[in-house]
Each structure stands twice: as structure tokens, then as C-alpha cells.
Amino acid sequence: IIGFGWYNYGILSEINDAEGVINGLDKEIQVQDQIKKNILDTQTRREDLMSGLNNNVIHSSRDYELAAVIMRDLAKKYDIGVLHLNLRSNDTFPPLNQYTKVKQVPLERYRIDLRLNGDFLDIGPFFDAVEKQIKAVNLHSYKFSLDQNAAKKVNADVVYYTYRMKRES
């Protein structure tokens, strides 16, 4: 009986050791599974962000010019005169690609300069309308000055930025 107990005790000890190893491997598998899930979630999030970015950038010079035409039409709608419209089609983005080591940044930044003339209270709604209708442009800066020729009018020098992205292959 003592030999039988001693033998079973050795087997139980080996079973406990095996269960410990199995539990350790199970925990490691769960950790690795979580890491895999995190990687897949990150890839999905990146794809979502890139598709959202695709909607908020231009992809051609035609889109860039179309944004300027829409701005001119909106200005007319709000009874604002466009005294000057300048599309600067050269890239004004800082040189990001000289600092990246992994992947080139496929973005370029372009300027749209406007000089507007109209009632001060009409220019704010114009800014709002541009923001709502043209997702690809962002208001960068504006400066108001009084119109010397009309008492109720102001001149607004406005700079919009738009971003052009090359499609990923």
C-alpha cells in the first residue's frame, strides 16, 4: 500500500507540474491572442482614418480649382465681393519626409488666398458655409480692415489651406 501511495504521489506530482505548464502556456496564448487582436484593431483603425482622410483632402488640381469656384459662388450667395483670388499650387508643407524613417508622407499643402469685401456680419456665415460645403479646405488665417470707400463694409484677407494626398498603392 505504501509503494502504491508513493507511486501515485509521484504521478500526481507530475500531473500538477504538467497542469502548471499547461496553465502557463494558456496564459501566454491569451496574451499573444490579445496582441494579435490589438494589431488587427490598429490596422482597422488606420484604414478607417485613411478613408476619412481621403474624404478631407484633394487628389487632383481639378479638385483644388473646384474648391476655389465653390468659394466664389458662396461669396456671391452671401453678397460678398471677391476682390482677389489666388491659387498657390506649390507645396507649402514643411519637409516632413526628411524626418521619417519608415514611410514617406504622401501629403502636400496648398494655399488659397482670398481678399473679400462685404458686410462684417456676412463674412462669418461665409466661413461657416465654406467649412460645411468644402471638407478639403481649412481656414488658416484671416485679417479684417475697414473699407475706406464704404462705411459698413470691411475687407477680409483670408488664407485657406488644402491638402493633396497621393493615393496609396
Side-chain angles (χ1 to χ4, degrees):
I1 290 179
I2 293 176
F4 182 72
W6 182 261
Y7 177 75
N8 283 339
Y9 179 76
I11 291 177
L12 288 176
S13 170
E14 289 179 15
I15 289 174
N16 286 336
D17 290 343
E19 285 178 351
V21 170
I22 289 171
N23 287 338
L25 291 174
D26 190 41
K27 287 179 184 177
E28 190 174 325
I29 288 172
Q30 288 174 355
V31 167
Q32 295 299 325
D33 189 47
Q34 185 62 40
I35 291 172
K36 180 182 176 186
K37 184 179 180 300
N38 290 346
I39 290 170
L40 293 175
D41 289 347
T42 302
Q43 286 175 337
T44 303
R45 185 167 176 254
R46 181 186 183 280
E47 289 170 5
D48 291 345
L49 290 172
M50 289 302 288
S51 69
L53 182 61
N54 270 331
N55 296 332
N56 294 326
V57 297
I58 61 171
H59 295 286
S60 68
S61 59
R62 184 176 175 272
D63 294 337
Y64 179 54
E65 294 164 359
L66 182 61
V69 169
I70 293 172
M71 284 183 192
R72 185 178 296 144
D73 292 344
L74 286 172
K76 205 179 289 183
K77 177 182 174 184
Y78 286 96
D79 198 27
I80 298 171
V82 177
L83 302 176
H84 178 71
L85 174 67
N86 185 6
L87 297 175
R88 296 195 181 174
S89 60
N90 56 334
D91 183 16
T92 62
F93 219 33
L96 294 177
N97 289 325
Q98 73 184 17
Y99 302 110
T100 63
K101 298 198 187 306
V102 178
K103 194 172 190 179
Q104 298 293 303
V105 178
L107 286 177
E108 296 174 340
R109 181 174 69 187
Y110 298 112
R111 269 176 83 143
I112 300 174
D113 293 329
L114 294 166
R115 183 160 178 88
L116 306 173
N117 180 273
D119 289 340
F120 179 76
L121 296 177
D122 291 335
I123 293 179
F126 166 77
F127 288 163
D128 292 338
V130 168
E131 184 180 323
K132 286 180 186 171
Q133 289 193 18
I134 312 170
K135 298 291 186 194
V137 297
N138 300 299
L139 180 62
H140 176 265
S141 64
Y142 57 88
K143 179 179 152 189
F144 291 104
S145 60
L146 296 175
D147 187 351
Q148 301 299 325
N149 301 326
K152 293 184 177 183
K153 303 255 183 191
V154 294
N155 291 323
D157 295 310
V158 183
V159 176
Y160 281 98
Y161 279 153
T162 185
Y163 299 90
R164 181 177 181 188
M165 185 172 81
K166 299 173 189 168
R167 295 202 188 268
E168 287 187 320
S169 50

